[in-house]
Coordinates of all heavy atoms in Angstrom, one line a residue:
M1 N 79.5 -7.1 -26.4 CA 80.7 -7.8 -25.8 C 80.4 -8.4 -24.5 O 80.9 -9.5 -24.1 CB 81.8 -6.9 -25.8 CG 83.1 -7.5 -25.5 SD 83.5 -8.7 -26.8 CE 85.3 -8.8 -26.7
D2 N 79.6 -7.7 -23.6 CA 79.3 -8.2 -22.3 C 78.5 -9.6 -22.4 O 78.8 -10.5 -21.6 CB 78.4 -7.2 -21.5 CG 79.3 -6.1 -21.0 OD1 80.5 -6.2 -21.0 OD2 78.7 -5.0 -20.7
K3 N 77.7 -9.7 -23.4 CA 76.9 -11.0 -23.6 C 77.9 -12.1 -23.9 O 77.8 -13.2 -23.3 CB 75.9 -10.8 -24.8 CG 75.2 -12.1 -25.1 CD 74.2 -12.5 -24.1 CE 73.4 -13.7 -24.6 NZ 73.2 -14.7 -23.7
V4 N 78.9 -11.9 -24.7 CA 79.9 -12.9 -25.0 C 80.7 -13.3 -23.7 O 80.9 -14.4 -23.4 CB 80.9 -12.4 -26.1 CG1 82.1 -13.3 -26.3 CG2 80.2 -12.2 -27.4
K5 N 81.1 -12.3 -22.9 CA 81.8 -12.5 -21.7 C 80.9 -13.3 -20.7 O 81.4 -14.3 -20.1 CB 82.2 -11.2 -21.0 CG 83.3 -10.5 -21.8 CD 83.7 -9.2 -21.1 CE 84.7 -8.4 -21.9 NZ 84.9 -7.1 -21.4
D6 N 79.7 -13.0 -20.6 CA 78.7 -13.7 -19.7 C 78.6 -15.1 -20.2 O 78.6 -16.1 -19.4 CB 77.4 -13.0 -19.7 CG 77.4 -11.7 -19.0 OD1 78.3 -11.5 -18.2 OD2 76.4 -10.9 -19.2
D7 N 78.5 -15.4 -21.5 CA 78.4 -16.7 -22.0 C 79.6 -17.5 -21.8 O 79.5 -18.7 -21.5 CB 78.0 -16.7 -23.5 CG 76.6 -16.2 -23.8 OD1 75.8 -16.2 -22.9 OD2 76.4 -15.9 -25.0
L8 N 80.8 -16.9 -21.9 CA 82.0 -17.6 -21.7 C 82.1 -18.0 -20.2 O 82.6 -19.1 -19.9 CB 83.2 -16.8 -22.1 CG 83.4 -16.6 -23.6 CD1 84.5 -15.6 -23.9 CD2 83.8 -17.9 -24.2
I9 N 81.7 -17.1 -19.3 CA 81.7 -17.4 -17.9 C 80.8 -18.6 -17.6 O 81.2 -19.5 -16.9 CB 81.4 -16.2 -17.0 CG1 82.5 -15.2 -17.1 CG2 81.1 -16.6 -15.6 CD1 82.2 -13.8 -16.5
L10 N 79.6 -18.6 -18.2 CA 78.6 -19.6 -17.9 C 79.2 -21.0 -18.5 O 79.0 -22.0 -17.8 CB 77.3 -19.3 -18.6 CG 76.5 -18.2 -18.0 CD1 75.2 -17.9 -18.8 CD2 76.0 -18.6 -16.6
L11 N 79.8 -20.9 -19.6 CA 80.4 -22.1 -20.2 C 81.5 -22.7 -19.3 O 81.5 -23.9 -19.0 CB 81.0 -21.8 -21.6 CG 81.6 -23.0 -22.3 CD1 80.5 -24.0 -22.6 CD2 82.2 -22.5 -23.6
C12 N 82.3 -21.9 -18.8 CA 83.4 -22.3 -17.9 C 82.8 -22.9 -16.6 O 83.2 -23.9 -16.0 CB 84.4 -21.2 -17.6 SG 85.5 -20.8 -18.9
E13 N 81.8 -22.2 -16.0 CA 81.2 -22.6 -14.8 C 80.5 -24.0 -15.0 O 80.6 -24.9 -14.1 CB 80.1 -21.6 -14.3 CG 80.8 -20.3 -13.8 CD 79.8 -19.2 -13.4 OE1 78.6 -19.3 -13.9 OE2 80.2 -18.3 -12.7
R14 N 79.9 -24.2 -16.1 CA 79.2 -25.5 -16.4 C 80.3 -26.6 -16.6 O 80.1 -27.7 -16.1 CB 78.4 -25.4 -17.7 CG 77.7 -26.6 -18.1 CD 76.7 -27.0 -17.1 NE 76.0 -28.2 -17.5 CZ 75.8 -29.3 -16.8 NH1 76.1 -29.2 -15.5 NH2 75.3 -30.4 -17.2
F15 N 81.4 -26.3 -17.2 CA 82.5 -27.2 -17.3 C 83.0 -27.6 -15.9 O 83.2 -28.8 -15.6 CB 83.7 -26.6 -18.1 CG 84.8 -27.6 -18.3 CD1 84.8 -28.4 -19.5 CD2 85.8 -27.7 -17.4 CE1 85.8 -29.3 -19.7 CE2 86.9 -28.5 -17.6 CZ 86.9 -29.4 -18.8
I16 N 83.1 -26.7 -15.0 CA 83.6 -26.9 -13.6 C 82.6 -27.8 -12.9 O 82.9 -28.7 -12.2 CB 83.9 -25.6 -12.9 CG1 85.1 -24.9 -13.5 CG2 84.1 -25.9 -11.4 CD1 85.3 -23.5 -13.0
E17 N 81.3 -27.5 -13.1 CA 80.2 -28.4 -12.5 C 80.3 -29.8 -13.0 O 80.2 -30.8 -12.2 CB 78.8 -27.8 -12.9 CG 78.5 -26.6 -12.2 CD 77.1 -26.0 -12.7 OE1 76.3 -26.8 -13.2 OE2 76.9 -24.8 -12.5
L18 N 80.6 -30.0 -14.3 CA 80.7 -31.3 -14.8 C 81.9 -32.0 -14.2 O 81.9 -33.2 -13.9 CB 80.8 -31.3 -16.3 CG 79.6 -30.9 -17.1 CD1 79.9 -30.7 -18.6 CD2 78.5 -31.9 -16.9
A19 N 83.0 -31.3 -14.1 CA 84.2 -31.9 -13.4 C 84.0 -32.2 -12.0 O 84.4 -33.3 -11.5 CB 85.4 -30.9 -13.6
D20 N 83.2 -31.4 -11.3 CA 82.8 -31.7 -9.9 C 82.1 -33.0 -9.8 O 82.4 -33.8 -9.0 CB 81.9 -30.6 -9.3 CG 82.6 -29.3 -9.1 OD1 83.8 -29.2 -9.0 OD2 81.8 -28.2 -8.9
N21 N 81.1 -33.2 -10.7 CA 80.4 -34.4 -10.8 C 81.3 -35.6 -11.0 O 81.1 -36.7 -10.4 CB 79.2 -34.4 -11.8 CG 78.1 -33.4 -11.4 OD1 78.0 -33.1 -10.2 ND2 77.4 -32.9 -12.3
L22 N 82.2 -35.5 -12.0 CA 83.1 -36.6 -12.2 C 84.0 -37.0 -11.0 O 84.2 -38.1 -10.7 CB 84.0 -36.3 -13.4 CG 83.3 -36.2 -14.8 CD1 84.3 -35.7 -15.8 CD2 82.8 -37.6 -15.2
L23 N 84.4 -35.9 -10.3 CA 85.2 -36.2 -9.1 C 84.4 -36.9 -8.0 O 84.8 -37.8 -7.4 CB 85.7 -34.8 -8.6 CG 86.7 -34.9 -7.4 CD1 87.9 -35.7 -7.7 CD2 87.0 -33.5 -6.9
L24 N 83.1 -36.4 -7.8 CA 82.3 -37.0 -6.8 C 81.9 -38.5 -7.1 O 81.8 -39.3 -6.2 CB 81.0 -36.2 -6.7 CG 81.1 -34.8 -6.0 CD1 79.8 -34.1 -6.1 CD2 81.5 -35.0 -4.6
E25 N 81.9 -38.8 -8.4 CA 81.6 -40.1 -8.9 C 82.8 -41.0 -9.0 O 82.8 -42.1 -9.5 CB 80.8 -40.1 -10.2 CG 79.5 -39.5 -10.1 CD 78.8 -39.2 -11.5 OE1 79.4 -39.6 -12.5 OE2 77.7 -38.6 -11.5
N26 N 84.0 -40.4 -8.5 CA 85.2 -41.1 -8.6 C 85.6 -41.6 -10.0 O 86.3 -42.6 -10.2 CB 85.3 -42.3 -7.6 CG 85.2 -41.9 -6.2 OD1 85.8 -40.9 -5.8 ND2 84.4 -42.6 -5.4
K27 N 85.2 -40.8 -11.0 CA 85.6 -41.1 -12.4 C 86.9 -40.4 -12.8 O 87.5 -40.7 -13.8 CB 84.5 -40.7 -13.3 CG 83.2 -41.6 -13.1 CD 82.2 -41.3 -14.1 CE 81.0 -42.3 -13.8 NZ 79.9 -42.1 -14.8
I28 N 87.3 -39.4 -12.0 CA 88.6 -38.7 -12.2 C 89.3 -38.5 -10.8 O 88.6 -38.5 -9.8 CB 88.5 -37.4 -12.9 CG1 87.6 -36.4 -12.1 CG2 88.0 -37.5 -14.3 CD1 87.6 -35.0 -12.7
T29 N 90.6 -38.4 -10.8 CA 91.3 -38.2 -9.6 C 91.3 -36.7 -9.2 O 91.0 -35.8 -10.1 CB 92.8 -38.6 -9.7 OG1 93.4 -37.8 -10.7 CG2 92.8 -40.1 -10.1
K30 N 91.7 -36.4 -8.0 CA 91.8 -35.0 -7.5 C 92.8 -34.2 -8.4 O 92.6 -33.1 -8.8 CB 92.2 -35.0 -6.1 CG 92.4 -33.6 -5.5 CD 91.1 -33.0 -5.2 CE 91.3 -31.7 -4.4 NZ 90.2 -30.8 -4.4
E31 N 93.9 -34.9 -8.8 CA 94.9 -34.2 -9.7 C 94.3 -33.9 -11.0 O 94.5 -32.8 -11.6 CB 96.1 -35.1 -9.8 CG 96.9 -35.3 -8.5 CD 96.3 -36.3 -7.6 OE1 95.5 -37.2 -8.0 OE2 96.6 -36.2 -6.3
E32 N 93.6 -34.8 -11.6 CA 92.9 -34.6 -12.9 C 91.9 -33.5 -12.8 O 91.8 -32.6 -13.7 CB 92.2 -35.9 -13.4 CG 93.2 -37.0 -13.8 CD 92.5 -38.3 -14.1 OE1 91.6 -38.6 -13.3 OE2 92.9 -39.0 -15.0
Y33 N 91.2 -33.4 -11.7 CA 90.2 -32.4 -11.5 C 90.9 -31.0 -11.4 O 90.4 -30.1 -12.1 CB 89.4 -32.6 -10.2 CG 88.5 -31.5 -9.8 CD1 87.3 -31.4 -10.3 CD2 88.9 -30.5 -8.8 CE1 86.4 -30.3 -10.0 CE2 88.1 -29.5 -8.5 CZ 86.9 -29.4 -9.0 OH 86.1 -28.3 -8.7
E34 N 91.9 -30.9 -10.7 CA 92.6 -29.7 -10.5 C 93.2 -29.2 -11.9 O 93.2 -28.0 -12.2 CB 93.8 -29.8 -9.5 CG 93.2 -29.9 -8.1 CD 94.2 -30.2 -7.0 OE1 95.4 -30.4 -7.4 OE2 93.9 -30.3 -5.9
E35 N 93.7 -30.2 -12.7 CA 94.3 -29.8 -14.0 C 93.1 -29.3 -14.9 O 93.3 -28.4 -15.6 CB 94.9 -31.1 -14.6 CG 95.6 -30.8 -15.9 CD 96.3 -32.0 -16.4 OE1 96.9 -32.8 -15.6 OE2 96.3 -32.2 -17.6
L36 N 92.0 -30.0 -14.9 CA 90.9 -29.6 -15.7 C 90.3 -28.3 -15.4 O 89.9 -27.5 -16.3 CB 89.8 -30.7 -15.6 CG 90.0 -32.0 -16.3 CD1 88.9 -33.0 -15.9 CD2 90.0 -31.8 -17.8
T37 N 90.2 -27.9 -14.1 CA 89.5 -26.7 -13.7 C 90.4 -25.5 -13.5 O 89.9 -24.4 -13.5 CB 88.7 -27.0 -12.4 OG1 89.6 -27.4 -11.4 CG2 87.6 -28.1 -12.6
K38 N 91.7 -25.7 -13.3 CA 92.6 -24.6 -13.0 C 92.4 -23.4 -14.0 O 92.2 -22.3 -13.6 CB 94.0 -25.1 -13.0 CG 95.0 -24.0 -12.7 CD 96.4 -24.5 -12.7 CE 97.4 -23.3 -12.5 NZ 98.7 -23.7 -12.8
N39 N 92.6 -23.7 -15.3 CA 92.6 -22.6 -16.3 C 91.2 -22.0 -16.3 O 91.1 -20.8 -16.6 CB 93.0 -23.1 -17.6 CG 94.4 -23.5 -17.7 OD1 95.2 -23.0 -16.9 ND2 94.8 -24.5 -18.5
K40 N 90.1 -22.8 -16.2 CA 88.8 -22.2 -16.2 C 88.5 -21.3 -15.1 O 87.9 -20.2 -15.3 CB 87.7 -23.3 -16.2 CG 87.5 -24.0 -17.6 CD 88.7 -24.9 -17.9 CE 88.5 -25.7 -19.1 NZ 89.7 -26.4 -19.5
K41 N 89.0 -21.6 -13.9 CA 88.8 -20.7 -12.7 C 89.5 -19.4 -12.9 O 89.0 -18.3 -12.6 CB 89.2 -21.4 -11.5 CG 88.2 -22.6 -11.1 CD 88.7 -23.3 -9.9 CE 87.8 -24.5 -9.5 NZ 88.3 -25.2 -8.4
E42 N 90.8 -19.5 -13.4 CA 91.6 -18.3 -13.7 C 90.9 -17.5 -14.7 O 90.9 -16.2 -14.6 CB 93.0 -18.7 -14.1 CG 93.8 -19.3 -13.0 CD 95.2 -19.8 -13.5 OE1 95.5 -19.6 -14.7 OE2 95.9 -20.4 -12.7
F43 N 90.4 -18.1 -15.8 CA 89.7 -17.4 -16.8 C 88.5 -16.6 -16.3 O 88.3 -15.4 -16.6 CB 89.3 -18.3 -17.9 CG 88.6 -17.7 -19.1 CD1 89.3 -17.0 -20.1 CD2 87.2 -17.7 -19.2 CE1 88.6 -16.4 -21.1 CE2 86.5 -17.1 -20.2 CZ 87.2 -16.5 -21.2
I44 N 87.7 -17.2 -15.5 CA 86.5 -16.6 -14.9 C 86.9 -15.4 -14.1 O 86.4 -14.3 -14.2 CB 85.7 -17.6 -14.1 CG1 85.0 -18.6 -15.0 CG2 84.7 -16.9 -13.2 CD1 84.4 -19.8 -14.2
L45 N 88.0 -15.5 -13.3 CA 88.4 -14.4 -12.4 C 88.9 -13.3 -13.3 O 88.7 -12.1 -13.0 CB 89.5 -14.9 -11.5 CG 89.0 -15.8 -10.4 CD1 90.2 -16.3 -9.6 CD2 88.0 -15.1 -9.5
N46 N 89.7 -13.6 -14.4 CA 90.2 -12.5 -15.3 C 89.1 -11.8 -16.0 O 89.1 -10.6 -16.1 CB 91.2 -13.1 -16.3 CG 92.5 -13.6 -15.7 OD1 92.9 -13.1 -14.6 ND2 93.1 -14.5 -16.3
I47 N 88.1 -12.5 -16.5 CA 87.0 -11.9 -17.2 C 86.2 -11.0 -16.2 O 85.8 -9.9 -16.6 CB 86.1 -13.0 -17.9 CG1 86.8 -13.6 -19.0 CG2 84.8 -12.3 -18.4 CD1 87.1 -12.7 -20.2
K48 N 85.9 -11.5 -15.1 CA 85.1 -10.7 -14.1 C 85.9 -9.5 -13.7 O 85.3 -8.4 -13.5 CB 84.8 -11.6 -12.9 CG 83.7 -12.6 -13.1 CD 83.3 -13.3 -11.9 CE 82.1 -14.3 -12.2 NZ 81.7 -15.0 -11.1
G49 N 87.2 -9.6 -13.6 CA 88.1 -8.4 -13.3 C 88.0 -7.4 -14.4 O 87.9 -6.2 -14.2
L50 N 88.0 -7.9 -15.6 CA 87.9 -6.9 -16.8 C 86.6 -6.2 -16.8 O 86.5 -5.1 -17.1 CB 88.1 -7.7 -18.1 CG 89.6 -8.2 -18.4 CD1 89.6 -9.0 -19.7 CD2 90.5 -7.0 -18.6
M51 N 85.5 -7.0 -16.5 CA 84.2 -6.4 -16.5 C 84.1 -5.3 -15.4 O 83.4 -4.3 -15.6 CB 83.1 -7.5 -16.3 CG 83.0 -8.4 -17.5 SD 82.0 -9.8 -17.3 CE 80.4 -9.1 -17.4
E52 N 84.7 -5.5 -14.3 CA 84.6 -4.5 -13.2 C 85.4 -3.3 -13.6 O 85.0 -2.2 -13.2 CB 85.2 -5.1 -11.9 CG 84.3 -6.2 -11.3 CD 84.9 -6.8 -10.1 OE1 86.1 -6.5 -9.7 OE2 84.3 -7.7 -9.5
M53 N 86.4 -3.4 -14.4 CA 87.2 -2.3 -14.8 C 86.5 -1.4 -15.8 O 86.8 -0.2 -15.9 CB 88.6 -2.7 -15.4 CG 89.5 -3.4 -14.4 SD 91.0 -4.0 -15.1 CE 91.7 -2.5 -15.7
E54 N 85.5 -1.9 -16.5 CA 84.8 -1.2 -17.5 C 83.8 -0.2 -17.0 O 83.4 -0.2 -16.0 CB 84.1 -2.1 -18.5 CG 85.0 -2.9 -19.3 CD 84.3 -3.9 -20.2 OE1 83.0 -4.1 -20.1 OE2 84.9 -4.5 -21.1

């Protein structure tokens, strides 16, 4: 199960990196960036919190 959690975190981090690049290239607005990344950042924090509790 830890491998699955690690993979999900990596996937979310990669998604955020892609959104960062789109923002830097002015292909999305700051509002679009925040909307795209908000749930992913929360998800990463929640998963890391669960892993620490184990």
Side-chain angles (χ1 to χ4, degrees):
M1 190 63 156
D2 286 341
K3 174 72 172 135
V4 172
K5 290 177 186 175
D6 290 340
D7 288 346
L8 287 172
I9 290 171
L10 288 174
L11 182 63
C12 287
E13 288 173 342
R14 180 65 180 132
F15 183 90
I16 293 168
E17 287 175 22
L18 292 171
D20 289 344
N21 290 338
L22 290 173
L23 183 62
L24 289 173
E25 295 170 5
N26 294 318
K27 294 186 178 179
I28 61 174
T29 65
K30 179 75 172 162
E31 292 80 22
E32 291 170 320
Y33 172 82
E34 289 171 359
E35 185 178 325
L36 286 170
T37 59
K38 179 184 175 193
N39 293 334
K40 279 75 175 171
K41 290 176 182 178
E42 289 175 4
F43 178 79
I44 290 170
L45 291 173
N46 289 335
I47 290 293
K48 287 183 176 180
L50 287 173
M51 291 173 76
E52 289 175 2
M53 292 175 63
E54 292 179 348

